[in-house]
Amino acid sequence: MNQIPVTVLTGYLGAGKTTLLNRILTEEHGKKYAVVVNEFGEIGIDNDLVVNADEEVFEMNNGCICCTVRGDLIRILGGLMKRQGSFDGILIETTGLADPAPVAQTFFVDEDVRRRTWLDSIVTVVDARHVVRRLEDSHEALEQIAFADVILLNKTDLVPADELAQVETRIRSINATAVIHRTQRCEVGIDTVLGRRAFDLDRILAIEPDFLSEDDHEHDDAVKSVCLRTDRPLDGARLTEWLQRLLVERGQDFLRTKGILSFAGQDKQYVIQAVHMLMEGTFTKPWNPNENRESRLVFIGRNIDELELRQQFDACIA
């Protein structure tokens, strides 16, 4: 039986995983991929930020891919394997708070999945500007680098050359064997991340001898997700001014901010992306005339007051 190759895209919040995924999906390589997107939060946004994937995107929300939704992952993979031949591979984009070890475990401990798929590689996207700080306060960031077969050291344009060399040395101290590519906006040849046959179980067992039997892993329980939503149009100037002020004042608490917003007087969706206090926004595709123009704004971080954010968000309604 032909096995389906699976590539796991991981990396901490805001490193650029969805950017890499969209590059893969829009590249003219002649192949078709099924996509599994796992998000941390009550509702999804990343699914709508994935382009050109049509009905082949499968979304799992509300938890670590290795715990509450692991059964979902196995069921989705089971359904995809029954459609073998309709696509060339499976891409799994994990939440930025996922430890990749239990994700990889799935392809060895579930008999049907192991028989019909093979884990091609774990590709980790690293935010060059913030990774050193994340390694100090996040077990997941450390695990994502340790388990990587390929590392994209992304956002290199935001870091001076001497600091970048120190960052790469720090990564090498955790994972001496992964191939490292320095990138901006994940610009990299697709053949450098797909079809690598790079996952090495023996290397993983050397890192964690109990890898195939380990059921417990750490979570950063201090991190929470807040999602704000409204069907009413927003005042674009007021909304962006509020976000800029909020992130400048409290950017260290907000690990990741992202949103798809409907502004009064605009027919296009406005997409917000932020990591700590670095924020960018742009108008993207037009709203479909038949769809509900609902704005969704997600904050992921620590010390978040949901009621306060909701009141401030509501004050931006036009």
Side-chain angles (χ1 to χ4, degrees):
M1 180 182 297
N2 292 329
Q3 292 179 299
I4 303 171
V6 179
T7 301
V8 176
L9 308 179
T10 188
Y12 205 73
L13 296 164
K17 296 181 298 299
T18 303
T19 299
L20 174 60
L21 177 58
N22 282 334
R23 286 198 179 279
I24 294 172
L25 296 176
T26 55
E27 188 86 0
E28 293 185 6
H29 43 56
K31 295 184 178 180
K32 186 173 184 179
Y33 293 95
V35 179
V36 181
V37 176
N38 175 218
E39 296 198 62
F40 179 79
E42 60 185 278
I43 70 165
I45 279 185
D46 285 356
N47 188 356
D48 293 326
L49 297 176
V50 174
V51 301
N52 199 34
D54 301 326
E55 75 284 355
E56 301 301 335
V57 176
F58 300 86
E59 186 177 31
M60 295 180 295
N61 287 1
N62 237 351
C64 172
I65 200 170
C66 43
C67 294
T68 57
V69 297
R70 192 180 198 181
D72 288 346
L73 175 59
I74 292 174
R75 284 190 292 274
I76 288 173
L77 290 172
L80 290 174
M81 289 182 290
K82 293 176 183 177
R83 299 166 50 197
Q84 192 168 16
S86 62
F87 50 88
D88 300 289
I90 300 171
L91 306 173
I92 299 176
E93 181 193 358
T94 72
T95 166
L97 296 172
D99 178 344
V103 182
Q105 278 179 323
T106 304
F107 298 92
F108 296 92
V109 300
D110 184 89
E111 177 60 31
D112 193 44
V113 171
R114 184 177 64 82
R115 184 169 56 90
R116 303 186 63 180
T117 67
W118 52 274
L119 183 55
D120 181 72
S121 62
I122 296 177
V123 179
T124 299
V125 184
V126 173
D127 182 338
R129 180 164 181 172
H130 295 109
V131 63
V132 173
R133 187 185 306 131
R134 291 289 72 79
L135 289 172
E136 294 172 354
D137 63 18
S138 170
H139 171 78
E140 289 85 1
L142 181 67
E143 293 287 301
Q144 289 162 0
I145 291 175
F147 276 84
D149 303 301
V150 178
I151 294 174
L152 300 192
L153 184 55
N154 197 35
K155 306 185 183 181
T156 55
D157 53 319
L158 302 180
V159 180
D162 58 340
E163 185 178 334
L164 194 61
Q166 294 174 9
V167 170
E168 190 163 323
T169 298
R170 179 73 174 97
I171 291 173
R172 279 278 172 239
S173 71
I174 300 168
N175 186 332
T177 61
V179 177
I180 299 178
H181 301 282
R182 294 185 178 187
T183 62
Q184 298 176 23
R185 295 187 178 273
C186 293
E187 291 184 4
V188 67
I190 301 306
D191 58 353
T192 64
V193 293
L194 298 182
R196 306 303 301 168
R197 289 190 174 270
F199 185 84
D200 184 348
L201 181 59
D202 291 336
R203 183 181 75 83
I204 299 303
L205 290 173
I207 299 173
E208 292 196 18
D210 298 327
F211 169 70
L212 293 179
S213 59
E214 183 180 350
D215 290 325
D216 60 336
H217 52 281
E218 298 181 28
H219 290 278
D220 188 347
D221 292 330
V223 176
K224 65 178 291 188
S225 171
V226 170
C227 180
L228 309 175
R229 57 204 302 177
T230 181
D231 291 328
R232 298 164 63 187
L234 297 164
D235 182 307
R238 201 182 309 159
L239 187 286
T240 53
E241 181 183 354
W242 164 60
L243 281 181
Q244 288 169 347
R245 184 175 63 254
L246 176 70
L247 296 179
V248 165
E249 294 174 354
R250 299 192 51 210
Q252 294 308 312
D253 287 335
F254 290 89
L255 302 173
R256 186 79 167 94
T257 305
K258 53 189 173 181
I260 299 175
L261 308 173
S262 173
F263 287 167
Q266 294 286 347
D267 292 327
K268 290 185 176 181
Q269 299 178 2
Y270 192 76
V271 173
I272 289 280
Q273 300 272 13
V275 178
H276 290 300
M277 58 192 65
L278 294 178
M279 185 182 82
E280 62 179 25
T282 184
F283 288 102
T284 58
K285 64 182 179 181
W287 290 96
N288 188 309
N290 298 320
E291 73 179 311
N292 178 25
R293 293 179 51 153
E294 179 188 57
S295 293
R296 289 167 289 160
L297 182 62
V298 172
F299 297 95
I300 302 174
R302 303 181 179 94
N303 306 313
I304 295 179
D305 185 329
E306 180 173 356
L307 179 60
E308 180 184 23
L309 288 177
R310 193 171 301 280
Q311 290 172 341
Q312 294 171 347
F313 177 72
D314 289 345
C316 296
I317 294 174

